[in-house]
Amino acid sequence: MPDVDWEALREKAVRMTQRAYAPYSNFVVGVAGLVDDGRVVAGCNVENAAYGVTLCAECGMVSELHATGGGRLLAVFCVGGDGEALMPCGRCRQLLWENGGPSCLLMTPEGVRTMEQILPQAFGPENLRG
């Protein structure tokens, strides 16, 4: 199990909520993730008047992951405007699975869980191999 500074991830995620663009819902979200090379990547939600094209905070974090060299997510902390742990939506759970795999750790409102616990029987790249 990786050595994770959960408080540092939470603090980074909280700072990201201050950058969120949520003029319609006023529901700000920030996220931070520890990468296997020691980097910390982060994101915030970005709403759009066409709600379907709103970007979740995790989308921004995964984009930063790839834009800054790739790698695998080891641990992720997502927070709402109150700074408390927030469960990612279903689409974002899939993003975390794709970029962190079954052993990626996620801080949840009920404590740390693996992605395998969060998304059992997940669909992944192995399902596309023929």
Side-chain angles (χ1 to χ4, degrees), residues 37-92:
D37 64 4
R39 281 178 295 139
V40 172
V41 292
C44 61
N45 60 318
V46 178
E47 291 184 348
N48 190 287
Y51 290 127
V53 294
T54 290
L55 298 175
C56 296
E58 296 86 345
C59 295
M61 179 186 67
V62 167
S63 182
E64 182 180 349
L65 170 70
H66 289 281
T68 60
R72 301 293 286 167
L73 292 169
L74 298 178
V76 175
F77 204 135
C78 181
V79 301
D82 62 0
E84 297 299 316
L86 181 67
M87 279 304 283
C89 71
R91 176 178 82 162
C92 291

Side-chain angles (χ1 to χ4, degrees), residues 21-23 27-28 42 55 65 68 74 82 94 109 111 118 128 130:
Y21 178 73
F27 188 77
V28 297
L55 298 175
L65 170 70
T68 60
L74 298 178
D82 62 0
Q94 184 67 36
I118 299 300
L128 299 176

Side-chain angles (χ1 to χ4, degrees), residues 2-15:
D3 184 28
V4 179
D5 184 344
W6 288 106
E7 186 56 26
L9 286 179
R10 189 190 75 76
E11 288 173 6
K12 177 71 172 183
V14 167
R15 285 194 304 276

Side-chain angles (χ1 to χ4, degrees), residues 88-114:
C89 71
R91 176 178 82 162
C92 291
R93 293 178 197 194
Q94 184 67 36
L95 279 173
L96 297 178
W97 182 275
E98 183 82 10
N99 291 279
S103 63
C104 179
L105 302 173
L106 177 66
M107 179 60 75
T108 77
E110 297 180 350
V112 177
R113 302 287 188 269
T114 65

